[in-house]
Amino acid sequence: MPAPFAALIAAFSARPKLAALLAGLLSATGFAPLDLWPVTLACLAALIILIERAPDRRAAFTRGWLFGVGHFTCGLNWIAHAFTFQDSMPHWFGYGAVVLLSLYLAVYPGLATLGAWWLSQTPVLPRRREPSPAAVTGFPPAREHATPIFFAATWLATEYLRATLFTGFAWNPLGATLLPTGIAITATLIGTYGLGALTILAAAALRLALRRQFRPAATIAAPLAALALWGLLSPAPATPPGAPRIRVVQPNIGQDEKYSPQLEEAHFRTLAALSGTRRPAPRLIFWPEAAIPAYLDMEPDWRARLAGLLGPGDLLMTGATKVYFKPDPDSPMGESKLAGANNSLFIVTPDARLLGRYDKAHLVPYGEYLPMRSLLQPLGLSRLVPGDADFWPGPGPQSLPLPATLGRPELKMGVQICYEIIFSGHVIDAANRPAFLFNPSNDAWFGSWGPVQHLAQARLRAIEEGIPIIRSTPTGVSAIIDARGHVVHALGLNRAGFLDSGLPHALSPPLFARLGNWAPGLLMLILLGAAIAIRRGKS
């Protein structure tokens, strides 16, 4: 074992809790915007060592939990920035919210490390009878080699649970750190949660190489290198000649200005100017989430204003709000009051009709609705999106038809509004597959880290589903993403502009698009079987 590595092991043994916390903190630098994925691998290798050296279940869980606290506190720091736009709550509370959320999310890495430790210890599997060299390695060789594979399986399982339980919070899946590498293409087969397991395996190969156990390291690293080569050599899908023309608008309207009545007209003029002048050839024009302060189904004047921007055959996709009212029992005149709303995407035609509407289904707790409102509102808490009523969820993924016109073929458009795009396997209607996915978003209150992390997760959805994704945001990052997850065109943070392009071509549904999250589930079973076989084979 190299002397520096041995010294590092000794340091971990002396302060395992501190080592776990620091490793978790540094591991988050592998996500955008830093993209230091080798650091993430090194930190995960350290966590594997900490699992192997855990003396009991409590220590195994605690080390994974502390790793998670550091990992999420660093990676989710942008959440604190969102509270600076909500005057109903103290701005400093944003930093407390990041820590509190991280204390909860860290339970999942804790369960992953506990599961890996327990599976490596369980007496159901045969153990070696010879004296244990635990003072040096922590485990006998059989368990030492099996533990990282068990950990890859348990991380996959707990990351899926994190994205599912209590409405789920799937932000920054570990596999997103592999986007700068060619290995990310494997999401076409095993999805994002499967990529997380591959990240753990890559860290295991690094740990073995540092210990000069080159043969087992190569056994893991060689398939990963082949996958990376596949990704790097796979051609990007070409945009076919005559592809439908699209324009993506980014008005650079900050969250501090968005809801100002005095600036409403100026904002509309900005959106109109960036949408361009009417043209004979039809266009698909994309505006951000909640781009206009209008109830389009109730305000024909607003629809007429939008239609005036469109040429023959153009269609405008814009975020707006659908509202619902109910009788107000306290009103002597029998008036109505606001009951709830949908965060919606409307399709507007040149003759001022609404061709279709999509209502956001996966809402942000504490952002778009306040859980336990009757208890929390008296305490001074409020949702982050301004308004007196909570948003209501829509029915879920669906494909909206865009009719053929003036040489443009008929298309189907899927929609995922903002936060919805982060949920792997839940973004399109597989029975009515769209040609592309539109992700109108508002990342204006997420600082500098949140928007680029959001873009990274949209890229993973493009790879998994084999379809292009279009993002329009108020302040960035707006982008056109091809079906392999490459960013074809993008507008950076805090700048106004537009993207003009042909619509990238969709691919045939890859394996993950056909199987959904059964695919990473199958990988998890394969990993568990491999780890069990390794223990039995070496016992």
Side-chain angles (χ1 to χ4, degrees):
M1 181 186 300
F5 190 62
L8 185 61
I9 296 296
F12 280 178
S13 300
R15 297 286 188 273
K17 293 181 180 180
L18 179 60
L21 183 64
L22 291 178
L25 193 72
L26 290 173
S27 71
T29 62
F31 296 111
L34 301 180
D35 290 324
L36 301 177
W37 58 269
V39 175
T40 301
L41 296 185
C43 292
L44 289 169
L47 181 59
I48 291 170
I49 295 169
L50 290 170
I51 299 171
E52 292 172 344
R53 292 179 161 266
D56 52 37
R57 295 176 185 176
R58 182 173 182 177
F61 174 83
T62 301
R63 293 173 186 189
W65 182 78
L66 287 170
F67 180 94
V69 170
H71 180 81
F72 291 114
T73 300
C74 178
L76 301 177
N77 68 80
W78 54 268
I79 292 178
H81 188 74
F83 283 77
T84 63
F85 299 104
Q86 175 53 273
D87 291 332
S88 298
M89 290 181 283
H91 294 177
W92 58 262
F93 188 72
Y95 298 98
V98 172
V99 174
L100 289 174
L101 178 61
S102 299
L103 292 176
Y104 158 66
L105 294 176
V107 169
Y108 296 100
L111 291 174
T113 55
L114 173 61
W117 183 90
W118 180 82
L119 287 167
S120 298
Q121 290 277 354
T122 178
V124 177
L125 303 176
R127 300 185 183 184
R128 293 177 63 90
R129 298 298 182 184
E130 62 196 48
S132 169
V136 177
T137 65
F139 277 155
R143 278 185 283 162
E144 179 183 274
H145 292 157
T147 299
I149 302 176
F150 279 131
F151 185 37
T154 57
W155 184 283
L156 188 159
T158 56
E159 193 162 68
Y160 175 78
L161 290 176
R162 172 165 72 90
T164 306
L165 297 180
F166 310 114
T167 79
F169 187 75
W171 196 274
N172 275 357
L174 187 60
T177 60
L178 296 181
L179 273 170
T181 75
I183 301 175
I185 197 173
T186 316
T188 59
L189 304 176
I190 57 175
T192 292
Y193 307 123
L195 278 184
L198 294 190
T199 311
I200 300 291
L201 294 179
L206 174 63
R207 165 191 165 278
L208 290 168
L210 289 173
R211 296 195 58 186
R212 296 181 180 174
Q213 294 177 307
F214 296 118
R215 180 172 294 179
T219 302
I220 297 174
L224 295 178
L227 292 173
L229 191 62
W230 171 37
L232 293 172
L233 296 181
S234 293
T239 300
R245 300 302 302 177
I246 61 177
R247 175 171 282 220
V248 181
V249 172
Q250 180 172 297
N252 196 29
I253 297 172
Q255 194 66 19
D256 54 342
E257 307 174 325
K258 184 175 181 62
Y259 297 101
S260 169
Q262 293 78 19
L263 296 175
E264 179 181 312
E265 185 60 32
H267 292 165
F268 179 79
R269 288 197 300 269
T270 299
L271 287 163
L274 293 173
S275 298
T277 57
R278 300 184 186 189
R279 302 175 187 176
R283 301 172 299 160
L284 302 175
I285 303 172
F286 299 91
W287 285 8
E289 176 188 15
I292 53 175
Y295 306 140
L296 288 179
D297 58 332
M298 302 171 60
E299 299 185 76
D301 290 346
W302 257 104
R303 295 200 299 272
R305 292 181 76 189
L306 298 178
L309 305 176
L310 305 179
D314 286 355
L315 292 175
L316 171 64
M317 275 58 73
T318 180
T321 303
K322 164 69 178 174
V323 293
Y324 301 89
F325 295 91
K326 64 180 180 180
D328 185 356
D330 299 326
S331 172
M333 304 297 293
E335 297 175 339
S336 298
K337 66 178 182 179
L338 184 64
N342 294 131
N343 185 353
S344 301
L345 183 283
F346 290 87
I347 305 173
V348 184
T349 68
D351 57 356
R353 290 182 298 114
L354 296 179
L355 190 63
R357 187 183 90 234
Y358 171 82
D359 300 325
K360 185 176 183 181
H362 207 132
L363 301 175
V364 183
Y366 304 99
E368 293 168 306
Y369 69 97
L370 185 64
M372 301 179 293
R373 178 175 284 275
S374 60
L375 295 176
L376 297 180
Q377 192 167 17
L379 299 177
L381 297 181
S382 176
R383 62 184 174 91
L384 293 174
V385 177
D388 298 324
D390 286 333
F391 284 94
W392 294 346
Q398 54 188 288
S399 297
L400 302 178
L402 306 178
T405 181
L406 299 176
R408 184 180 64 216
E410 181 179 359
L411 297 170
K412 294 177 182 178
M413 174 181 70
V415 182
Q416 291 286 281
I417 298 178
C418 200
Y419 172 76
E420 291 185 298
I421 199 70
I422 72 173
F423 292 94
S424 174
H426 298 282
V427 297
I428 67 168
D429 179 0
N432 190 23
R433 183 174 167 84
F436 69 96
L437 188 63
F438 179 36
N439 177 222
S441 300
N442 179 12
D443 296 345
W445 47 2
F446 291 161
S448 59
W449 283 40
V452 289
Q453 291 176 0
H454 205 177
L455 173 67
Q457 291 166 99
R459 293 177 60 194
L460 286 173
R461 299 296 84 77
I463 298 170
E464 289 174 338
E465 303 294 345
I467 60 173
I469 293 180
I470 298 167
R471 301 192 78 236
S472 176
T473 71
T475 57
V477 178
S478 298
I480 300 171
I481 305 167
D482 72 19
R484 284 289 189 212
H486 305 119
V487 178
V488 180
H489 303 287
L491 285 166
L493 292 172
N494 304 316
R495 53 174 293 200
F498 60 86
L499 302 173
D500 261 336
S501 175
L503 178 66
H505 184 61
L507 301 174
S508 298
L511 181 67
F512 179 84
R514 297 175 187 274
L515 298 183
N517 281 315
W518 290 105
L522 180 60
L523 174 64
M524 181 189 69
L525 294 178
I526 292 172
L527 291 170
L528 289 173
I532 291 171
I534 288 172
R535 282 204 54 191
R536 286 179 173 168
K538 290 181 176 290
S539 297

